[in-house]
Short mmCIF file of all heavy atoms in Angstrom, two decimals:
data_model
loop_
_atom_site.label_atom_id
_atom_site.label_comp_id
_atom_site.label_asym_id
_atom_site.label_seq_id
_atom_site.Cartn_x
_atom_site.Cartn_y
_atom_site.Cartn_z
N MET A 1 63.98 129.55 60.52
CA MET A 1 63.93 128.17 60.03
C MET A 1 64.52 127.20 61.05
O MET A 1 63.97 126.14 61.28
CB MET A 1 64.68 128.08 58.69
CG MET A 1 64.67 126.71 58.10
SD MET A 1 63.00 126.21 57.71
CE MET A 1 63.28 124.85 56.69
N SER A 2 65.65 127.59 61.66
CA SER A 2 66.28 126.69 62.62
C SER A 2 65.40 126.46 63.84
O SER A 2 65.42 125.39 64.44
CB SER A 2 67.64 127.23 63.04
OG SER A 2 67.50 128.43 63.77
N ARG A 3 64.59 127.46 64.20
CA ARG A 3 63.68 127.30 65.33
C ARG A 3 62.62 126.25 65.04
O ARG A 3 62.28 125.44 65.89
CB ARG A 3 63.03 128.64 65.67
CG ARG A 3 62.11 128.57 66.87
CD ARG A 3 61.62 129.92 67.27
NE ARG A 3 62.67 130.52 68.11
CZ ARG A 3 62.76 131.78 68.41
NH1 ARG A 3 61.87 132.63 67.95
NH2 ARG A 3 63.71 132.23 69.18
N ILE A 4 62.11 126.22 63.81
CA ILE A 4 61.10 125.24 63.42
C ILE A 4 61.70 123.83 63.43
O ILE A 4 61.10 122.90 63.96
CB ILE A 4 60.53 125.57 62.02
CG1 ILE A 4 59.75 126.88 62.09
CG2 ILE A 4 59.64 124.44 61.52
CD1 ILE A 4 59.34 127.42 60.74
N VAL A 5 62.90 123.69 62.89
CA VAL A 5 63.57 122.39 62.87
C VAL A 5 63.84 121.92 64.30
O VAL A 5 63.62 120.77 64.64
CB VAL A 5 64.89 122.46 62.05
CG1 VAL A 5 65.68 121.18 62.20
CG2 VAL A 5 64.59 122.75 60.59
N SER A 6 64.28 122.84 65.13
CA SER A 6 64.59 122.50 66.51
C SER A 6 63.35 122.05 67.27
O SER A 6 63.39 121.07 68.02
CB SER A 6 65.22 123.71 67.21
OG SER A 6 65.57 123.40 68.52
N ARG A 7 62.25 122.74 67.07
CA ARG A 7 60.99 122.35 67.74
C ARG A 7 60.50 121.00 67.25
O ARG A 7 60.02 120.19 68.03
CB ARG A 7 59.93 123.41 67.55
CG ARG A 7 60.16 124.61 68.41
CD ARG A 7 59.01 125.56 68.36
NE ARG A 7 59.37 126.77 69.10
CZ ARG A 7 58.53 127.70 69.40
NH1 ARG A 7 57.27 127.61 69.01
NH2 ARG A 7 58.92 128.76 70.06
N GLY A 8 60.60 120.77 65.94
CA GLY A 8 60.19 119.49 65.38
C GLY A 8 61.02 118.35 65.94
O GLY A 8 60.50 117.30 66.30
N ALA A 9 62.32 118.58 66.03
CA ALA A 9 63.21 117.57 66.60
C ALA A 9 62.88 117.34 68.06
O ALA A 9 62.94 116.21 68.56
CB ALA A 9 64.66 117.99 66.44
N GLY A 10 62.50 118.40 68.77
CA GLY A 10 62.13 118.27 70.17
C GLY A 10 60.90 117.41 70.37
O GLY A 10 60.83 116.60 71.29
N VAL A 11 59.92 117.58 69.51
CA VAL A 11 58.69 116.79 69.60
C VAL A 11 59.00 115.32 69.33
O VAL A 11 58.57 114.43 70.07
CB VAL A 11 57.63 117.32 68.61
CG1 VAL A 11 56.46 116.36 68.49
CG2 VAL A 11 57.15 118.69 69.03
N VAL A 12 59.75 115.08 68.27
CA VAL A 12 60.09 113.69 67.91
C VAL A 12 60.93 113.05 69.01
O VAL A 12 60.68 111.91 69.41
CB VAL A 12 60.82 113.63 66.55
CG1 VAL A 12 61.36 112.25 66.28
CG2 VAL A 12 59.89 114.06 65.44
N SER A 13 61.92 113.78 69.52
CA SER A 13 62.77 113.20 70.56
C SER A 13 61.99 112.97 71.85
O SER A 13 62.24 112.01 72.57
CB SER A 13 63.99 114.09 70.84
OG SER A 13 63.63 115.29 71.47
N GLY A 14 60.99 113.80 72.13
CA GLY A 14 60.15 113.60 73.31
C GLY A 14 59.35 112.31 73.21
O GLY A 14 59.25 111.56 74.18
N MET A 15 58.77 112.08 72.05
CA MET A 15 58.00 110.85 71.85
C MET A 15 58.91 109.63 71.91
O MET A 15 58.58 108.62 72.54
CB MET A 15 57.24 110.89 70.53
CG MET A 15 56.10 111.88 70.55
SD MET A 15 55.03 111.81 69.10
CE MET A 15 56.13 112.36 67.80
N LEU A 16 60.05 109.73 71.26
CA LEU A 16 61.01 108.63 71.27
C LEU A 16 61.50 108.37 72.70
O LEU A 16 61.58 107.21 73.13
CB LEU A 16 62.19 108.95 70.36
CG LEU A 16 63.31 107.92 70.30
CD1 LEU A 16 62.79 106.61 69.73
CD2 LEU A 16 64.45 108.45 69.46
N GLY A 17 61.79 109.43 73.42
CA GLY A 17 62.27 109.29 74.80
C GLY A 17 61.25 108.60 75.69
O GLY A 17 61.60 107.74 76.50
N GLY A 18 59.98 108.96 75.55
CA GLY A 18 58.94 108.32 76.35
C GLY A 18 58.83 106.84 76.05
O GLY A 18 58.68 106.01 76.96
N ALA A 19 58.90 106.49 74.77
CA ALA A 19 58.81 105.08 74.38
C ALA A 19 60.00 104.28 74.89
O ALA A 19 59.85 103.19 75.45
CB ALA A 19 58.70 104.97 72.86
N VAL A 20 61.20 104.84 74.73
CA VAL A 20 62.41 104.15 75.20
C VAL A 20 62.39 104.00 76.71
O VAL A 20 62.70 102.94 77.25
CB VAL A 20 63.69 104.89 74.73
CG1 VAL A 20 64.92 104.34 75.40
CG2 VAL A 20 63.82 104.81 73.22
N ALA A 21 62.00 105.06 77.41
CA ALA A 21 61.96 105.01 78.88
C ALA A 21 60.97 103.95 79.36
O ALA A 21 61.23 103.26 80.33
CB ALA A 21 61.58 106.38 79.44
N GLY A 22 59.84 103.82 78.68
CA GLY A 22 58.86 102.80 79.06
C GLY A 22 59.42 101.40 78.92
O GLY A 22 59.23 100.55 79.80
N VAL A 23 60.12 101.15 77.83
CA VAL A 23 60.72 99.83 77.61
C VAL A 23 61.81 99.55 78.65
O VAL A 23 61.87 98.46 79.24
CB VAL A 23 61.30 99.73 76.18
CG1 VAL A 23 62.13 98.48 76.01
CG2 VAL A 23 60.18 99.77 75.16
N VAL A 24 62.65 100.55 78.91
CA VAL A 24 63.73 100.39 79.89
C VAL A 24 63.14 100.13 81.28
O VAL A 24 63.58 99.23 82.00
CB VAL A 24 64.67 101.62 79.91
CG1 VAL A 24 65.63 101.55 81.08
CG2 VAL A 24 65.42 101.74 78.60
N PHE A 25 62.12 100.90 81.66
CA PHE A 25 61.51 100.71 82.98
C PHE A 25 60.93 99.31 83.12
O PHE A 25 61.11 98.67 84.16
CB PHE A 25 60.42 101.75 83.24
CG PHE A 25 59.64 101.46 84.49
CD1 PHE A 25 60.25 101.59 85.73
CD2 PHE A 25 58.33 101.04 84.43
CE1 PHE A 25 59.55 101.30 86.90
CE2 PHE A 25 57.62 100.75 85.59
CZ PHE A 25 58.23 100.89 86.82
N LYS A 26 60.24 98.81 82.11
CA LYS A 26 59.67 97.46 82.20
C LYS A 26 60.75 96.42 82.43
O LYS A 26 60.59 95.49 83.23
CB LYS A 26 58.87 97.13 80.94
CG LYS A 26 57.54 97.81 80.90
CD LYS A 26 56.74 97.38 79.70
CE LYS A 26 55.39 98.08 79.73
NZ LYS A 26 54.47 97.57 78.74
N GLN A 27 61.89 96.56 81.75
CA GLN A 27 62.98 95.60 81.92
C GLN A 27 63.61 95.71 83.30
O GLN A 27 63.91 94.70 83.94
CB GLN A 27 64.03 95.78 80.83
CG GLN A 27 63.54 95.45 79.44
CD GLN A 27 63.02 94.02 79.34
OE1 GLN A 27 63.65 93.09 79.79
NE2 GLN A 27 61.84 93.87 78.77
N VAL A 28 63.83 96.95 83.76
CA VAL A 28 64.41 97.15 85.10
C VAL A 28 63.47 96.61 86.16
O VAL A 28 63.90 95.93 87.10
CB VAL A 28 64.73 98.65 85.33
CG1 VAL A 28 65.06 98.92 86.79
CG2 VAL A 28 65.88 99.09 84.43
N TRP A 29 62.18 96.89 86.04
CA TRP A 29 61.23 96.42 87.05
C TRP A 29 61.19 94.90 87.07
O TRP A 29 61.12 94.28 88.12
CB TRP A 29 59.83 96.99 86.79
CG TRP A 29 58.92 96.61 87.92
CD1 TRP A 29 57.98 95.63 87.92
CD2 TRP A 29 58.92 97.18 89.23
NE1 TRP A 29 57.39 95.55 89.15
CE2 TRP A 29 57.95 96.50 89.97
CE3 TRP A 29 59.65 98.20 89.83
CZ2 TRP A 29 57.69 96.80 91.30
CZ3 TRP A 29 59.39 98.50 91.15
CH2 TRP A 29 58.42 97.82 91.87
N LYS A 30 61.24 94.29 85.89
CA LYS A 30 61.23 92.82 85.80
C LYS A 30 62.44 92.24 86.54
O LYS A 30 62.33 91.26 87.26
CB LYS A 30 61.23 92.39 84.34
CG LYS A 30 60.91 90.91 84.14
CD LYS A 30 60.98 90.51 82.68
CE LYS A 30 59.94 91.20 81.86
NZ LYS A 30 59.87 90.70 80.47
N LEU A 31 63.60 92.88 86.38
CA LEU A 31 64.80 92.42 87.08
C LEU A 31 64.71 92.61 88.59
O LEU A 31 65.11 91.75 89.36
CB LEU A 31 66.05 93.15 86.55
CG LEU A 31 66.56 92.74 85.20
CD1 LEU A 31 67.65 93.70 84.73
CD2 LEU A 31 67.11 91.32 85.25
N LEU A 32 64.21 93.78 88.99
CA LEU A 32 64.16 94.09 90.42
C LEU A 32 63.07 93.34 91.17
O LEU A 32 63.30 92.85 92.27
CB LEU A 32 63.95 95.60 90.63
CG LEU A 32 65.08 96.51 90.20
CD1 LEU A 32 64.68 97.97 90.36
CD2 LEU A 32 66.34 96.23 91.00
N ALA A 33 61.89 93.28 90.59
CA ALA A 33 60.74 92.72 91.30
C ALA A 33 60.39 91.30 90.87
O ALA A 33 59.66 90.61 91.58
CB ALA A 33 59.53 93.62 91.11
N GLY A 34 60.88 90.88 89.73
CA GLY A 34 60.57 89.54 89.26
C GLY A 34 59.16 89.40 88.69
O GLY A 34 58.68 88.30 88.49
N THR A 35 58.50 90.52 88.44
CA THR A 35 57.16 90.48 87.84
C THR A 35 57.16 91.33 86.57
O THR A 35 57.96 92.24 86.43
CB THR A 35 56.09 91.04 88.81
OG1 THR A 35 56.38 92.40 89.10
CG2 THR A 35 56.04 90.24 90.10
N ASP A 36 56.22 91.02 85.70
CA ASP A 36 56.15 91.76 84.43
C ASP A 36 55.52 93.14 84.58
O ASP A 36 55.83 94.04 83.83
CB ASP A 36 55.36 90.96 83.39
CG ASP A 36 56.14 89.76 82.88
OD1 ASP A 36 57.38 89.75 83.02
OD2 ASP A 36 55.51 88.83 82.34
N GLU A 37 54.61 93.28 85.52
CA GLU A 37 53.87 94.53 85.67
C GLU A 37 54.26 95.25 86.95
O GLU A 37 54.32 94.65 88.02
CB GLU A 37 52.36 94.25 85.69
CG GLU A 37 51.82 93.69 84.40
CD GLU A 37 51.90 94.68 83.25
OE1 GLU A 37 51.65 95.88 83.47
OE2 GLU A 37 52.22 94.24 82.13
N ALA A 38 54.49 96.54 86.83
CA ALA A 38 54.77 97.37 88.00
C ALA A 38 53.45 97.68 88.70
O ALA A 38 52.40 97.73 88.06
CB ALA A 38 55.45 98.67 87.57
N PRO A 39 53.49 97.90 90.00
CA PRO A 39 52.25 98.21 90.71
C PRO A 39 51.67 99.56 90.28
O PRO A 39 52.40 100.53 90.08
CB PRO A 39 52.68 98.26 92.18
CG PRO A 39 54.15 98.37 92.18
CD PRO A 39 54.64 97.85 90.88
N GLN A 40 50.39 99.58 90.12
CA GLN A 40 49.67 100.80 89.79
C GLN A 40 49.24 101.48 91.09
O GLN A 40 48.91 100.81 92.06
CB GLN A 40 48.44 100.49 88.93
CG GLN A 40 48.76 99.83 87.61
CD GLN A 40 49.55 100.75 86.71
OE1 GLN A 40 49.22 101.91 86.54
NE2 GLN A 40 50.63 100.22 86.14
N ALA A 41 49.22 102.79 91.08
CA ALA A 41 48.86 103.55 92.28
C ALA A 41 47.43 103.24 92.75
O ALA A 41 47.14 103.32 93.93
CB ALA A 41 49.01 105.04 92.01
N THR A 42 46.57 102.85 91.84
CA THR A 42 45.17 102.60 92.18
C THR A 42 44.89 101.15 92.55
O THR A 42 43.77 100.82 92.91
CB THR A 42 44.26 102.99 91.00
OG1 THR A 42 44.68 102.28 89.84
CG2 THR A 42 44.34 104.49 90.74
N SER A 43 45.90 100.30 92.50
CA SER A 43 45.72 98.88 92.80
C SER A 43 45.75 98.63 94.30
O SER A 43 46.62 99.10 95.01
CB SER A 43 46.81 98.05 92.12
OG SER A 43 46.67 96.70 92.46
N ASP A 44 44.77 97.85 94.79
CA ASP A 44 44.70 97.52 96.22
C ASP A 44 45.65 96.40 96.62
O ASP A 44 45.88 96.18 97.81
CB ASP A 44 43.27 97.12 96.61
CG ASP A 44 42.33 98.30 96.63
OD1 ASP A 44 42.81 99.44 96.81
OD2 ASP A 44 41.11 98.09 96.46
N GLU A 45 46.20 95.68 95.65
CA GLU A 45 47.04 94.52 96.00
C GLU A 45 48.48 94.89 96.35
O GLU A 45 49.25 94.02 96.74
CB GLU A 45 46.99 93.48 94.88
CG GLU A 45 47.56 93.94 93.57
CD GLU A 45 47.39 92.90 92.48
OE1 GLU A 45 48.21 91.98 92.41
OE2 GLU A 45 46.41 93.03 91.72
N TYR A 46 48.85 96.14 96.23
CA TYR A 46 50.21 96.58 96.56
C TYR A 46 50.17 97.60 97.68
O TYR A 46 49.24 98.38 97.80
CB TYR A 46 50.88 97.22 95.34
CG TYR A 46 51.02 96.29 94.17
CD1 TYR A 46 50.14 96.36 93.09
CD2 TYR A 46 52.02 95.32 94.14
CE1 TYR A 46 50.26 95.51 92.01
CE2 TYR A 46 52.14 94.46 93.07
CZ TYR A 46 51.25 94.55 92.01
OH TYR A 46 51.37 93.71 90.95
N GLY A 47 51.23 97.60 98.47
CA GLY A 47 51.34 98.57 99.55
C GLY A 47 51.96 99.87 99.07
O GLY A 47 52.43 99.99 97.93
N TRP A 48 51.96 100.85 99.98
CA TRP A 48 52.54 102.16 99.66
C TRP A 48 53.99 102.06 99.22
O TRP A 48 54.41 102.73 98.28
CB TRP A 48 52.46 103.07 100.90
CG TRP A 48 51.13 103.72 101.08
CD1 TRP A 48 50.08 103.24 101.84
CD2 TRP A 48 50.69 104.94 100.52
NE1 TRP A 48 49.04 104.10 101.77
CE2 TRP A 48 49.38 105.17 100.97
CE3 TRP A 48 51.28 105.87 99.69
CZ2 TRP A 48 48.66 106.29 100.61
CZ3 TRP A 48 50.55 107.00 99.33
CH2 TRP A 48 49.27 107.20 99.79
N GLY A 49 54.76 101.25 99.91
CA GLY A 49 56.19 101.13 99.60
C GLY A 49 56.44 100.67 98.18
O GLY A 49 57.28 101.24 97.47
N GLU A 50 55.71 99.66 97.75
CA GLU A 50 55.89 99.13 96.40
C GLU A 50 55.47 100.15 95.34
O GLU A 50 56.16 100.34 94.34
CB GLU A 50 55.08 97.85 96.20
CG GLU A 50 55.60 96.67 97.00
CD GLU A 50 54.65 95.51 96.94
OE1 GLU A 50 53.50 95.67 97.40
OE2 GLU A 50 55.06 94.45 96.43
N VAL A 51 54.34 100.80 95.58
CA VAL A 51 53.83 101.77 94.61
C VAL A 51 54.79 102.96 94.50
O VAL A 51 55.14 103.40 93.39
CB VAL A 51 52.41 102.25 95.01
CG1 VAL A 51 51.98 103.44 94.18
CG2 VAL A 51 51.42 101.10 94.88
N LEU A 52 55.25 103.47 95.63
CA LEU A 52 56.14 104.63 95.60
C LEU A 52 57.51 104.28 95.05
O LEU A 52 58.12 105.08 94.34
CB LEU A 52 56.24 105.26 96.99
CG LEU A 52 54.94 105.85 97.53
CD1 LEU A 52 55.16 106.43 98.92
CD2 LEU A 52 54.36 106.88 96.60
N ALA A 53 58.01 103.08 95.36
CA ALA A 53 59.30 102.66 94.81
C ALA A 53 59.22 102.54 93.28
O ALA A 53 60.12 103.01 92.57
CB ALA A 53 59.72 101.32 95.41
N ALA A 54 58.14 101.96 92.79
CA ALA A 54 57.97 101.83 91.34
C ALA A 54 57.89 103.21 90.68
O ALA A 54 58.51 103.45 89.64
CB ALA A 54 56.71 101.03 91.02
N ALA A 55 57.17 104.12 91.31
CA ALA A 55 57.03 105.47 90.74
C ALA A 55 58.38 106.20 90.75
O ALA A 55 58.71 106.89 89.78
CB ALA A 55 56.00 106.27 91.54
N ALA A 56 59.15 106.04 91.80
CA ALA A 56 60.46 106.70 91.88
C ALA A 56 61.42 106.15 90.82
O ALA A 56 62.12 106.92 90.15
CB ALA A 56 61.05 106.53 93.28
N ILE A 57 61.43 104.85 90.67
CA ILE A 57 62.31 104.23 89.66
C ILE A 57 61.88 104.65 88.26
O ILE A 57 62.71 105.02 87.43
CB ILE A 57 62.30 102.70 89.81
CG1 ILE A 57 62.96 102.30 91.13
CG2 ILE A 57 62.99 102.03 88.63
CD1 ILE A 57 62.72 100.85 91.53
N GLN A 58 60.57 104.64 88.02
CA GLN A 58 60.07 105.03 86.70
C GLN A 58 60.39 106.49 86.41
O GLN A 58 60.82 106.83 85.29
CB GLN A 58 58.56 104.81 86.64
CG GLN A 58 57.97 105.06 85.26
CD GLN A 58 56.49 104.73 85.22
OE1 GLN A 58 55.79 104.80 86.22
NE2 GLN A 58 56.03 104.35 84.04
N GLY A 59 60.24 107.36 87.38
CA GLY A 59 60.54 108.78 87.19
C GLY A 59 62.01 109.02 86.91
O GLY A 59 62.37 109.83 86.05
N ALA A 60 62.87 108.32 87.65
CA ALA A 60 64.32 108.48 87.45
C ALA A 60 64.73 108.00 86.06
O ALA A 60 65.49 108.68 85.36
CB ALA A 60 65.08 107.71 88.52
N ILE A 61 64.22 106.86 85.65
CA ILE A 61 64.56 106.33 84.33
C ILE A 61 64.05 107.27 83.24
O ILE A 61 64.77 107.59 82.30
CB ILE A 61 63.99 104.90 84.14
CG1 ILE A 61 64.78 103.93 85.03
CG2 ILE A 61 64.04 104.48 82.68
CD1 ILE A 61 64.17 102.55 85.10
N PHE A 62 62.81 107.73 83.39
CA PHE A 62 62.25 108.64 82.39
C PHE A 62 63.08 109.91 82.27
O PHE A 62 63.39 110.37 81.18
CB PHE A 62 60.80 108.99 82.72
CG PHE A 62 60.17 109.92 81.73
CD1 PHE A 62 59.70 109.45 80.52
CD2 PHE A 62 60.09 111.28 81.97
CE1 PHE A 62 59.14 110.31 79.58
CE2 PHE A 62 59.54 112.15 81.05
CZ PHE A 62 59.07 111.66 79.85
N GLY A 63 63.46 110.48 83.41
CA GLY A 63 64.24 111.71 83.41
C GLY A 63 65.58 111.56 82.73
O GLY A 63 66.00 112.39 81.92
N VAL A 64 66.27 110.47 83.03
CA VAL A 64 67.59 110.24 82.45
C VAL A 64 67.50 109.97 80.95
O VAL A 64 68.25 110.54 80.16
CB VAL A 64 68.31 109.07 83.17
CG1 VAL A 64 69.55 108.62 82.42
CG2 VAL A 64 68.67 109.48 84.59
N VAL A 65 66.57 109.11 80.56
CA VAL A 65 66.42 108.78 79.13
C VAL A 65 66.00 110.02 78.34
O VAL A 65 66.55 110.31 77.28
CB VAL A 65 65.41 107.63 78.93
CG1 VAL A 65 65.04 107.47 77.46
CG2 VAL A 65 65.97 106.33 79.47
N LYS A 66 65.04 110.78 78.86
CA LYS A 66 64.58 111.98 78.17
C LYS A 66 65.71 113.00 78.03
O LYS A 66 65.90 113.57 76.95
CB LYS A 66 63.41 112.61 78.90
CG LYS A 66 62.86 113.83 78.18
CD LYS A 66 61.60 114.31 78.81
CE LYS A 66 61.01 115.55 78.21
NZ LYS A 66 61.70 116.24 77.18
N ALA A 67 66.47 113.21 79.08
CA ALA A 67 67.58 114.16 79.02
C ALA A 67 68.63 113.72 78.00
O ALA A 67 69.14 114.54 77.23
CB ALA A 67 68.21 114.33 80.40
N ALA A 68 68.95 112.44 77.99
CA ALA A 68 69.96 111.93 77.05
C ALA A 68 69.49 112.08 75.60
O ALA A 68 70.26 112.52 74.74
CB ALA A 68 70.27 110.47 77.36
N ILE A 69 68.24 111.74 75.34
CA ILE A 69 67.74 111.83 73.98
C ILE A 69 67.57 113.29 73.56
O ILE A 69 67.93 113.66 72.44
CB ILE A 69 66.42 111.03 73.83
CG1 ILE A 69 66.76 109.54 73.90
CG2 ILE A 69 65.70 111.37 72.53
CD1 ILE A 69 65.57 108.62 73.86
N ASP A 70 67.05 114.13 74.44
CA ASP A 70 66.91 115.56 74.11
C ASP A 70 68.26 116.19 73.83
O ASP A 70 68.42 116.95 72.89
CB ASP A 70 66.23 116.31 75.25
CG ASP A 70 64.73 116.06 75.32
OD1 ASP A 70 64.18 115.45 74.39
OD2 ASP A 70 64.12 116.49 76.32
N ARG A 71 69.23 115.87 74.67
CA ARG A 71 70.58 116.44 74.49
C ARG A 71 71.18 115.99 73.17
O ARG A 71 71.75 116.79 72.42
CB ARG A 71 71.46 116.00 75.66
CG ARG A 71 72.87 116.46 75.60
CD ARG A 71 72.96 117.93 75.86
NE ARG A 71 74.37 118.30 75.89
CZ ARG A 71 74.78 119.52 76.01
NH1 ARG A 71 73.92 120.49 76.15
NH2 ARG A 71 76.05 119.80 76.00
N SER A 72 71.05 114.72 72.86
CA SER A 72 71.59 114.18 71.62
C SER A 72 70.89 114.80 70.40
O SER A 72 71.55 115.18 69.42
CB SER A 72 71.42 112.66 71.60
OG SER A 72 71.88 112.12 70.41
N ALA A 73 69.58 114.93 70.46
CA ALA A 73 68.83 115.51 69.35
C ALA A 73 69.21 116.98 69.15
O ALA A 73 69.40 117.43 68.01
CB ALA A 73 67.34 115.38 69.59
N THR A 74 69.33 117.71 70.23
CA THR A 74 69.68 119.13 70.14
C THR A 74 71.07 119.31 69.52
O THR A 74 71.26 120.15 68.63
CB THR A 74 69.64 119.80 71.52
OG1 THR A 74 68.30 119.69 72.01
CG2 THR A 74 70.05 121.25 71.47
N ARG A 75 72.01 118.51 69.96
CA ARG A 75 73.37 118.61 69.41
C ARG A 75 73.39 118.23 67.93
O ARG A 75 74.07 118.87 67.15
CB ARG A 75 74.33 117.74 70.22
CG ARG A 75 74.54 118.28 71.64
CD ARG A 75 75.51 117.43 72.41
NE ARG A 75 76.82 117.39 71.77
CZ ARG A 75 77.86 118.11 72.14
NH1 ARG A 75 77.75 118.94 73.15
NH2 ARG A 75 79.02 117.98 71.52
N SER A 76 72.61 117.22 67.57
CA SER A 76 72.55 116.80 66.16
C SER A 76 71.94 117.89 65.28
O SER A 76 72.44 118.16 64.19
CB SER A 76 71.75 115.51 66.03
OG SER A 76 72.39 114.46 66.71
N VAL A 77 70.87 118.51 65.76
CA VAL A 77 70.23 119.57 64.99
C VAL A 77 71.18 120.75 64.84
O VAL A 77 71.33 121.31 63.75
CB VAL A 77 68.90 120.00 65.65
CG1 VAL A 77 68.38 121.31 65.05
CG2 VAL A 77 67.85 118.92 65.50
N HIS A 78 71.85 121.12 65.90
CA HIS A 78 72.79 122.25 65.83
C HIS A 78 73.93 121.97 64.85
O HIS A 78 74.35 122.86 64.12
CB HIS A 78 73.33 122.59 67.22
CG HIS A 78 72.36 123.35 68.05
ND1 HIS A 78 72.23 124.70 68.01
CD2 HIS A 78 71.42 122.91 68.95
CE1 HIS A 78 71.27 125.08 68.84
NE2 HIS A 78 70.77 124.01 69.41
N ARG A 79 74.42 120.74 64.86
CA ARG A 79 75.48 120.39 63.91
C ARG A 79 74.97 120.41 62.47
O ARG A 79 75.66 120.86 61.57
CB ARG A 79 76.04 119.01 64.23
CG ARG A 79 77.11 119.04 65.28
CD ARG A 79 77.83 117.70 65.37
NE ARG A 79 77.98 117.42 66.78
CZ ARG A 79 77.47 116.37 67.42
NH1 ARG A 79 76.78 115.47 66.78
NH2 ARG A 79 77.65 116.23 68.71
N ALA A 80 73.74 119.93 62.29
CA ALA A 80 73.19 119.84 60.94
C ALA A 80 72.87 121.20 60.33
O ALA A 80 73.06 121.40 59.13
CB ALA A 80 71.92 118.96 60.95
N ILE A 81 72.39 122.13 61.16
CA ILE A 81 72.00 123.44 60.61
C ILE A 81 73.02 124.53 60.91
O ILE A 81 72.82 125.68 60.53
CB ILE A 81 70.61 123.86 61.11
CG1 ILE A 81 70.57 124.03 62.62
CG2 ILE A 81 69.55 122.90 60.63
CD1 ILE A 81 69.27 124.55 63.15
N GLY A 82 74.09 124.15 61.59
CA GLY A 82 75.15 125.12 61.85
C GLY A 82 74.80 126.16 62.89
O GLY A 82 75.29 127.26 62.86
N GLY A 83 73.95 125.81 63.84
CA GLY A 83 73.53 126.78 64.84
C GLY A 83 74.15 126.53 66.11
O GLY A 83 74.45 126.97 67.06
#
């Protein structure tokens, strides 16, 4: 039973983490670049540096937010079910 609860919490925390990371990245990019939209890899109007910098920042934010939410969810589930 605890395995099912843990997996369910993992799915929910993954979706929540992705949504939170997206919002955080948009705000960080707006502060750093002064624009609302980050450069897309397929866009011709941005250079390699801008595209790769945006991807690196987005990846770092996603990784940190996902780890924090996953860790928090796992600890909460363990406390709740005594595992």
